[in-house]
Amino acid sequence: MKKVLSVILSLMMLTMLFVGCGKKAEETADTGAATDTGAKTEEAAATEAPAKEELAPVTLKWYLHGSNVTDDSEVLAKANEYLKEKINVTLEPIWGTWGDFDSNAVLAINGGDDVDIYFTCSWSADEYNAFARKGAWVRLDNPDNNLIEQYAPDLWKTLPTVLTQGATINGSDGYGVYAVPGYKDIATQNCWDINVPLLEKYGYTVDDIKNADYYSFGEILKKVKDGEGADFYPLLVEGNVLERMVTNSIIVTGDAGTNNLLSYYINPTDTAAEGPYGNKLLSKFETPEYKKFVEKTREYFLAGYIDPAMGNASQANDTRTAKQLTGEYLIGTQSYALGYEVQASKERGFEVAMVPCTPPYVDTTSSQGAMMAISTASKNPERAMMFLNLLNTDPYLMTLLDYGVEGVHYNMVNGEAEFTPKRDDYMPWTNGMGNVTLLPPQKGQGADFWDGFKAYYGSAGEIPVLGFAFDGSAVETEMGALANVAAEYALALNTGTVDPAEKLPEYIQKLKDNGIDKVVAEANTQVDAFIAAKSK
Amino acid sequence: MMNEITVKRRGNKRLNRVSLPVEFMFHIVLGLFCLICVIPFIFVAIISFSSESSIREIGFSFQPVQWSLEAYRYVMDLGDQLWRSYFNSFFITIVGTALSVLMCILYSYALFRKDFKYRRFFTFFAFFTMMFGGGLAPTYMVCKNILGLNDSYAALIVPMLLNPFNIIIMRTFFQSTVPNELIEAAAIDGSGEYNTLFKIIVPISKPGIATVALLNALAYWNEWFIAMLYIRDAKYFPLQYLLMKMQNQVDFLVRNSSVIGAEVTKILGTLPQESLRMALVVLIVIPIAFAYPFFQRYIISGLTIGSVKG
Amino acid sequence: MPKPIATGKVTPNGFSTKKKTLLLLTMVAPGVIWLLLLRYLPMFGIVIAFKDYKIYTKDPSLFNNIMHSKWVGLKNFEFLYKTSDSLKMIKNTIGYNALWIVLGLIISVTFAIMLNEISNKFVAKVHQTLMFFPYFLSWVVASYFVLAFLDPTRGLLVHLQQSWGMDVTNWYNDNKPWPVILTIANLWKNIGYSTILYLAAITGIDASQYEAASIDGASKWQQVRYVTIPHLKPMIIILFIMNVGKIFNADFGLFWNVPMNSGPLFPSTQVIDTYVYRALMATNNVGMSTAAGLLQNLVGFVCLMGANTLVRKVDEDSSLF
């Protein structure tokens, strides 16, 4: 058997050599091309504003997210005609859908595929901060070759400062910007989602909810539960969202996926001010706030206010969506986007009210909701930057790529875009492309929609640690183990399906056994460094 | 001999059979198990005919409040894409199965031959890849960049051509059905190796080959991951991938709902709902379930080949 | 007989051996080429398990990235054993696998023999077809089916419990029944598959052997014992050895989908594969996933080699190699 093994090993060596040689040849070719473009850049920079004819034709591959596109021929014909004239670019979009993105885009990035621009954000597998550290994205404000200054100064001025700040992070090339943030719903605001007709049926008004808080919902919940029967569960909650709403903690970007381990507590009335614990990160589950929250939640669960299905990670969301649509709830949890109550009322067929728990605020996660990064594998980062600049400042191009061709995919009626059935063949993720305020409002939003939008999101204050993302690479072993511990306990505790008197101490002990203290210490070192760098 | 048996058989109809009560018990046991196997499928079919509002109201249930053909209407709206995907699935299944069975027979026959000098080496050579692999990223890179498998039928067929597990199964089938004397006899008769394999060995190994073909056909029919990796052009989408795409999108959105926020409900609204996904399951299972008896004929017929006198 | 050749010096026997080997080599050639390209070539990726995978920004390609990433020794493996969960998940993975190998073997061999004895071939065909149905349904779909029974508020079992006046169980919150539920689910899905393999092996048996045994006065039971089982032995042993090789790998689809990712069930449902998946969702480190896969396969490989050596000592012909 030894012989066989050695033969296999030597075969592997051979194949490696083979790959190596193949790659070497390519490599030299690549460097050749790179110097070529490098020379061109210098040339272009030297002449300041390059005339269009001087730009060599370039094809840009653009990887998008959340698309539902089956026929892009008409849009691309128009867009490429336009782009050819403007910056001599031919666009080749890759219409990534929601589901295949996790593995496909990550594979493409890790494997150095020849894609120029990637969608990235704080919440999907091709995470902005992590891949910036790994070296996947070109630093756009690199002092040696500042692409933003050279090719996109207008764009940078039009973006709200919270966005540019949120995009400025620690990456492979130092503290800087690694992607162009999209201007969409950039604020976080958690709300109680109220079934108004049902609330009024029992003699309460929305004001009664506004004046109460989670800990004093008991009376209202009891009355409705008694009136509606045993099969009715008045509290319709996403456990992890509920926990954040009640304790005023936020998602720490870079934390262990959906079950956060770390907490940053904000000041619920003035989100720009320091929170009750200052600029410190805490182990989420060891605080008195958390203990109080889970005890109350357990009480509500035992009283039959919370559906047991909510503690069941894979089932919770389906159940929640179904009950929202049938109106089988009284108070729900919802992360808000402007105009959502109108949309929800229409979808569900009854009046829905949103009662905010805090003013809208911008944190790292929400400011990095949709971004476009230039890949380090791109042969033409300059041209990619020009394209992103044009996309985010030119309403014609943005509308064409996002909505489709006017008269084919949509028609303009009274200043609103009304989609045609053809739009079903061309549906990119509207908010996943760039500056949405360049688009005409959609039917039903009202012609002055963007004024309200800019006012609402413009008012959103930044929290003190905006831009901070936790880098777990020094504690990956612990993060891997802790993510599993959290998956075992967090949701069950947050929905009251298990008894906190028994499970909370067990949970905390297990977190300690798996190194939560080390993670918190590491996180706080990073926060301190971040605050210091930011205030400089 | 012949006469003896026929005589005996007249006297006792159940010659060399288990007794009636025992067979009856077999029927009960197998019948019960089959029931357990088929009920979930009926369940899926029922959901596919349930209305969305019924699913919302009472969840997945054997007795929906309201029946509906909506899911199937929606599937039919996929129109050309649906038929195209059906064609693709059939095409890759048939071509892929034919090629992979051929490769599997050749490889495993050589391994089966005790007089093959490098028998153990090549067994280990195939088996080793069952245990160790380079992982997703390197495989993806080799297929895409070195072999150029991209947006083509080859990209759907080639990555699954060989399965070491099937090679070893096939070799075992040969071991248990082909007597060594047969090969020796064939060699003495001057039959060439390929001739022996295809004229003598293959005909008597039909049950085993049919089984391996079935496993291959199922693998090709159910495949979606490879399509996800290498296919961008909807022209080549197999049916199963259409289904998994929907499933994956919904899963992803649900997983990230608390981060994406309010938009998720809106996006989920544009995606096909449960009943539609179940309808697609029905549409995927039916063709292969009907193809199954075709393979079975060979699996069962092994019995009749063996029992010439029966 | 080999045809006479011009030189005439080589003995016919020696020549035929060489020619035979050559011909047999041409038979394995297509497979060997495929295995080299699609299986051995990508194996260079295994080194990722020992590296801190970073993208080589100057010229990113998988190969360059790997070459320029730093060696980190066994750091990527740490998350597998430096956790309070490791014993639990190893115990679950091996425990379920061992139980299912044995149960699966007994049940599917029994079913295959039963199917073979059913005199009405049409009924046998129907049984066989239906048995295979679960194999078509993905675990996602199967999990909906399980949910229809176990849903905490509207499941069929919950309704039964209510109508019998029993306490309602929250199935997704109580880990004790889950070893049984998972076992049923696993058998339900996989029995049909292995039954087919065994049945095909049985039908390959020459019927004259049964007749001879019958004439010698062997009862049906004795025929099963002395004709069928010995013929099935190679298949049983091969499937057993190969299952042993997968002893450290759990069926991710089953353990992830069927328990609906419910936390309180972890004591019964956490296996290596689900642990690794969750850890990777949090860290997104390719090195760690490669490391986990490598370790699982290495352990499986050692176990398999052990099993194979054992088999070879007893019965060389039945061993894998």
Side-chain angles (χ1 to χ4, degrees):
Chain A
M1 212 44 44
K2 256 187 214 147
K3 229 194 238 164
V4 183
L5 263 173
S6 68
V7 171
I8 287 175
L9 275 176
S10 43
L11 268 169
M12 274 175 65
M13 290 301 191
L14 264 173
T15 53
M16 276 186 78
L17 259 167
F18 166 54
V19 183
C21 291
K23 275 286 139 187
K24 281 249 171 65
E26 256 176 59
E27 222 170 280
T28 30
D30 287 357
T31 29
T35 31
D36 226 34
T37 44
K40 266 190 206 102
T41 334
E42 275 161 39
E43 219 175 273
T47 50
E48 280 300 336
K52 278 118 211 164
E53 304 84 64
E54 280 175 43
L55 291 170
V58 155
T59 301
L60 290 182
K61 284 197 182 171
W62 184 25
Y63 207 138
L64 293 111
H65 199 164
S67 347
N68 194 351
V69 173
T70 50
D71 179 12
D72 59 5
S73 51
E74 279 174 276
V75 175
L76 279 191
K78 287 222 160 202
N80 282 332
E81 189 190 329
Y82 185 74
L83 284 169
K84 188 130 204 103
E85 193 199 311
K86 284 267 181 187
I87 50 174
N88 208 0
V89 157
T90 310
L91 205 55
E92 247 183 60
I94 301 168
W95 299 110
T97 60
W98 293 107
D100 68 25
F101 206 79
D102 273 353
S103 37
N104 282 45
V106 170
L107 272 177
I109 299 167
N110 275 332
D113 274 13
D114 60 336
V115 173
D116 297 280
I117 305 170
Y118 285 97
F119 171 94
T120 178
C121 60
S122 55
W123 45 267
S124 90
D126 62 327
E127 213 264 330
Y128 172 57
N129 305 282
F131 276 98
R133 283 191 299 267
K134 270 188 196 154
W137 317 137
V138 173
R139 180 172 169 190
L140 304 179
D141 59 349
N142 193 332
D144 301 333
N145 183 17
N146 193 325
L147 295 175
I148 294 176
E149 253 172 39
Q150 293 175 70
Y151 306 105
D154 308 339
L155 160 64
W156 222 242
K157 273 175 232 143
T158 57
L159 291 174
T161 46
V162 284
L163 275 184
T164 53
Q165 271 192 27
T168 313
I169 56 162
N170 262 319
S172 58
D173 243 350
Y175 185 70
V177 177
Y178 290 83
V180 176
Y183 189 6
K184 55 162 211 138
D185 40 354
I186 52 174
T188 305
Q189 187 175 29
N190 290 323
C191 294
W192 299 115
D193 166 343
I194 309 296
N195 181 345
V196 179
L198 189 69
L199 186 71
E200 286 172 350
K201 183 177 157 194
Y202 288 91
Y204 296 103
T205 62
V206 174
D207 283 336
D208 292 323
I209 303 288
K210 277 184 188 153
N211 296 329
D213 69 357
Y214 183 64
Y215 295 98
S216 55
F217 281 163
E219 184 206 319
I220 304 178
L221 294 172
K222 183 170 184 351
K223 199 162 166 190
V224 177
K225 172 86 187 181
D226 291 346
E228 295 290 308
D231 287 345
F232 180 84
Y233 301 95
L235 260 182
L236 186 64
V237 294
E238 278 174 284
N240 296 343
V241 177
L242 178 73
E243 187 272 327
R244 289 200 295 268
M245 282 172 72
V246 174
T247 63
N248 293 311
S249 65
I250 61 159
I251 299 174
V252 176
T253 311
D255 202 350
T258 44
N259 292 304
N260 281 255
L261 302 163
L262 300 172
S263 264
Y264 177 82
Y265 288 96
I266 55 166
N267 183 333
T269 45
D270 179 8
T271 51
E274 273 191 14
Y277 290 94
N279 289 330
K280 275 269 166 271
L281 297 182
L282 288 90
S283 163
K284 168 163 269 186
F285 308 99
E286 293 172 47
T287 58
E289 280 91 342
Y290 187 72
K291 187 154 190 281
K292 187 177 163 205
F293 161 73
V294 285
E295 278 165 0
K296 193 67 184 176
T297 307
R298 178 65 176 173
E299 184 191 320
Y300 286 165
F301 176 81
L302 290 176
Y305 303 156
I306 299 174
D307 190 330
M310 291 298 147
N312 192 345
S314 304
Q315 201 196 346
N317 212 75
D318 281 346
T319 314
R320 179 168 163 267
T321 313
K323 296 212 160 177
Q324 278 176 340
L325 287 169
T326 50
E328 275 178 82
Y329 74 100
L330 179 72
I331 304 174
T333 55
Q334 183 65 51
S335 52
Y336 184 70
L338 185 67
Y340 185 65
E341 62 271 55
V342 182
Q343 183 201 331
S345 301
K346 209 165 72 187
E347 267 170 16
R348 302 179 199 170
F350 55 87
E351 193 193 339
V352 174
M354 294 287 158
V355 177
C357 297
T358 60
Y361 60 88
V362 184
D363 58 18
T364 312
T365 307
S366 64
S367 74
Q368 299 176 348
M371 317 174 96
M372 287 295 164
I374 299 174
S375 165
T376 42
S378 171
K379 304 269 186 302
N380 301 291
E382 297 80 14
R383 210 65 69 82
M385 191 73 232
M386 289 185 208
F387 166 69
L388 288 177
N389 179 46
L390 203 59
L391 177 73
N392 283 287
T393 49
D394 184 336
Y396 170 75
L397 184 66
M398 185 67 188
T399 313
L400 176 64
L401 286 170
D402 207 323
Y403 282 1
V405 180
E406 184 171 359
V408 178
H409 299 103
Y410 71 99
N411 292 305
M412 289 305 291
V413 183
N414 302 328
E416 293 177 329
E418 197 175 321
F419 291 121
T420 65
K422 261 299 250 180
R423 163 82 169 168
D424 291 347
D425 300 335
Y426 186 80
M427 265 199 289
W429 180 30
T430 316
N431 280 350
M433 224 176 240
N435 186 349
V436 289
T437 61
L438 297 175
L439 296 165
Q442 293 177 21
K443 194 189 171 203
Q445 287 181 325
D448 58 352
F449 178 74
W450 297 118
D451 299 336
F453 182 92
K454 283 178 181 159
Y456 173 79
Y457 289 109
S459 77
E462 56 179 282
I463 58 159
V465 290
L466 169 65
F468 173 74
F470 175 54
D471 173 5
S473 50
V475 285
E476 268 176 339
T477 302
E478 287 77 14
M479 292 299 279
L482 288 168
N484 276 282
V485 178
E488 182 170 353
Y489 294 94
L491 187 66
L493 282 166
N494 289 346
T495 51
T497 42
V498 294
D499 183 7
E502 179 199 346
K503 292 288 172 182
L504 185 58
E506 189 182 312
Y507 182 24
I508 293 174
Q509 188 53 47
K510 238 176 145 177
L511 288 171
K512 290 209 180 293
D513 291 347
N514 286 289
I516 186 78
D517 295 334
K518 191 176 164 192
V519 171
V520 173
E522 168 73 23
N524 278 313
T525 317
Q526 289 180 22
V527 171
D528 294 344
F530 175 82
I531 298 281
K534 200 179 176 186
S535 54
K536 230 188 271 169
Chain B
M1 189 76 156
M2 261 300 267
N3 286 336
E4 219 175 307
I5 290 169
T6 19
V7 170
K8 260 193 189 167
R9 185 157 282 179
R10 260 189 222 120
N12 174 10
K13 270 192 186 149
R14 298 191 59 79
L15 170 88
N16 205 15
R17 287 264 148 230
V18 290
S19 64
L20 255 182
V22 174
E23 190 174 336
F24 183 69
M25 196 192 73
F26 286 2
H27 277 287
I28 301 252
V29 172
L30 291 172
L32 272 179
F33 183 72
C34 289
L35 208 62
I36 298 170
C37 288
V38 82
I39 285 175
F41 185 72
I42 295 171
F43 176 75
V44 166
I46 289 176
I47 296 173
S48 75
F49 286 107
S50 311
S51 73
E52 270 312 314
S53 60
S54 166
I55 295 173
R56 251 179 251 136
E57 221 171 290
I58 57 165
F60 302 125
S61 161
F62 285 96
Q63 301 157 291
V65 195
Q66 196 190 352
W67 298 90
S68 160
L69 277 173
E70 202 176 335
Y72 288 91
R73 245 178 256 134
Y74 190 101
V75 173
M76 292 305 146
D77 280 351
L78 287 173
D80 290 348
Q81 183 62 54
L82 180 73
W83 305 125
R84 177 99 221 167
S85 294
Y86 254 124
F87 170 79
N88 291 341
S89 284
F90 274 114
F91 183 78
I92 58 167
T93 303
I94 291 167
V95 176
T97 306
L99 289 175
S100 53
V101 167
L102 182 68
M103 270 173 77
C104 179
I105 289 174
L106 287 172
Y107 200 106
S108 47
Y109 174 69
L111 300 190
F112 153 70
R113 287 285 298 271
K114 286 217 176 69
D115 47 354
F116 181 36
K117 209 170 148 193
Y118 308 106
R119 175 171 182 250
R120 281 184 69 193
F121 171 78
F122 284 110
T123 311
F124 192 82
F125 189 78
F127 150 78
F128 189 75
T129 65
M130 231 169 86
M131 301 302 303
F132 297 98
L136 187 57
T139 312
Y140 170 80
M141 194 213 79
V142 167
C143 284
K144 212 173 160 189
N145 298 347
I146 298 183
L147 304 177
L149 294 173
N150 227 335
D151 272 340
S152 64
Y153 286 117
L156 290 164
I157 292 171
V158 173
M160 294 174 60
L161 268 185
L162 209 62
N163 181 345
F165 180 82
N166 287 351
I167 289 180
I168 290 171
I169 294 290
M170 194 70 230
R171 188 195 73 171
T172 315
F173 276 133
F174 284 140
Q175 276 173 349
S176 56
T177 42
V178 182
N180 265 322
E181 304 82 52
L182 199 62
I183 293 164
E184 280 159 24
I188 289 163
D189 284 352
S191 163
E193 295 300 336
Y194 280 91
N195 194 47
T196 312
L197 172 57
F198 288 106
K199 291 272 161 61
I200 302 170
I201 310 297
V202 167
I204 64 165
S205 309
K206 267 188 190 158
I209 294 171
T211 308
V212 169
L214 174 74
L215 301 185
N216 272 317
L218 277 171
Y220 273 109
W221 186 262
N222 285 330
E223 179 49 52
W224 58 271
F225 193 73
I226 286 172
M228 182 182 95
L229 292 182
Y230 305 118
I231 306 294
R232 295 248 148 259
D233 190 342
K235 206 161 74 186
Y236 299 105
F237 284 174
L239 194 60
Q240 190 73 250
Y241 180 51
L242 273 190
L243 170 75
M244 287 316 292
K245 234 167 86 132
M246 295 178 189
Q247 188 69 47
N248 289 343
Q249 297 214 50
V250 174
D251 289 351
F252 178 87
L253 287 168
V254 165
R255 194 149 32 87
N256 290 296
S257 68
S258 66
V259 192
I260 311 176
E263 236 185 317
V264 167
T265 32
K266 200 167 148 194
I267 302 163
L268 279 174
T270 65
L271 290 174
Q273 298 299 308
E274 310 291 354
S275 57
L276 177 65
R277 279 183 269 154
M278 296 298 175
L280 270 173
V281 174
V282 172
L283 293 173
I284 288 167
V285 174
I286 282 177
I288 195 82
F290 275 108
Y292 184 70
F294 166 80
F295 290 103
Q296 229 176 12
R297 222 179 61 207
Y298 290 99
I299 299 175
I300 292 271
S301 70
L303 200 71
T304 33
I305 293 169
S307 54
V308 191
K309 295 162 198 143
Chain C
M1 273 287 125
K3 280 176 192 122
I5 22 149
T7 53
K9 294 254 166 77
V10 189
T11 60
N13 202 16
F15 178 80
S16 77
T17 310
K18 232 185 206 162
K19 188 178 163 200
K20 184 180 71 197
T21 307
L22 210 69
L23 276 172
L24 289 173
L25 277 173
T26 63
M27 287 185 180
V28 294
V32 169
I33 292 170
W34 188 92
L35 287 169
L36 272 178
L37 285 175
L38 281 107
R39 290 287 178 269
Y40 284 96
L41 196 54
M43 277 189 198
F44 69 88
I46 290 178
V47 297
I48 298 177
F50 306 97
K51 292 218 161 194
D52 175 20
Y53 189 80
K54 285 259 162 34
I55 288 156
Y56 181 59
T57 49
K58 287 196 195 79
D59 181 24
S61 73
L62 189 76
F63 190 73
N64 285 344
N65 296 348
I66 292 177
M67 293 312 276
H68 289 93
S69 292
K70 269 193 307 228
W71 291 98
V72 290
L74 295 180
K75 191 173 171 289
N76 287 329
F77 292 84
E78 274 179 4
F79 80 110
L80 292 166
Y81 56 85
K82 274 198 179 169
T83 156
S84 56
D85 274 351
S86 59
L87 251 167
K88 178 173 78 187
M89 68 193 187
I90 291 172
K91 204 181 83 193
N92 278 344
T93 310
I94 296 184
Y96 283 123
N97 273 333
L99 178 70
W100 296 347
I101 290 173
V102 175
L103 278 182
L105 178 91
I106 296 171
I107 296 177
S108 46
V109 168
T110 315
F111 277 7
I113 293 172
M114 283 178 167
L115 274 173
N116 190 42
E117 292 305 330
I118 282 180
S119 43
N120 185 334
K121 285 302 157 219
F122 178 75
V123 176
K125 265 190 187 187
V126 171
H127 280 325
Q128 227 182 316
T129 310
L130 297 185
M131 244 185 220
F132 222 69
F133 262 71
Y135 193 75
F136 298 120
L137 299 180
S138 68
W139 278 123
V140 178
V141 173
S143 72
Y144 291 143
F145 179 68
V146 177
L147 181 67
F149 281 91
L150 305 184
D151 187 296
T153 52
R154 9 180 225 203
L156 291 173
L157 279 185
V158 174
H159 282 312
L160 274 183
Q161 285 178 323
Q162 276 167 344
S163 59
W164 290 340
M166 290 160 68
D167 280 343
V168 171
T169 319
N170 185 352
W171 295 94
Y172 291 97
N173 204 14
D174 178 6
N175 70 65
K176 283 179 209 77
W178 279 86
V180 179
I181 297 172
L182 292 169
T183 302
I184 294 172
N186 175 276
L187 294 176
W188 166 80
K189 189 148 167 108
N190 294 321
I191 286 292
Y193 189 94
S194 42
T195 302
I196 298 288
L197 290 179
Y198 289 123
L199 185 66
I202 291 179
T203 50
I205 301 169
D206 192 340
S208 61
Q209 296 199 30
Y210 287 111
E211 271 157 26
S214 154
I215 286 158
D216 288 345
S219 71
K220 201 63 214 172
W221 169 238
Q222 284 167 323
Q223 288 175 31
V224 166
R225 200 160 151 213
Y226 297 110
V227 180
T228 314
I229 302 273
H231 268 93
L232 276 182
K233 205 179 71 187
M235 185 60 84
I236 292 175
I237 288 174
I238 285 292
L239 286 182
F240 174 77
I241 293 179
M242 288 204 284
N243 281 329
V244 168
K246 293 266 168 248
I247 194 119
F248 234 54
N249 300 68
D251 183 346
F252 176 78
L254 167 63
F255 288 96
W256 182 259
N257 291 305
V258 176
M260 289 272 168
N261 196 7
S262 181
L265 304 184
F266 278 21
S268 303
T269 61
Q270 179 81 302
V271 286
I272 297 173
D273 296 74
T274 52
Y275 173 86
V276 168
Y277 183 78
R278 286 192 188 95
L280 290 172
M281 295 292 280
T283 60
N284 256 321
N285 181 338
V286 250
M288 283 158 74
S289 66
T290 316
L294 184 62
L295 186 73
Q296 285 180 304
N297 290 333
L298 213 61
V299 174
F301 183 69
V302 170
C303 294
L304 183 142
M305 294 306 271
N308 190 58
T309 317
L310 218 79
V311 168
R312 217 164 62 206
K313 282 211 176 108
V314 182
D315 174 11
E316 194 174 343
D317 285 347
S318 300
S319 69
L320 190 53
F321 40 75

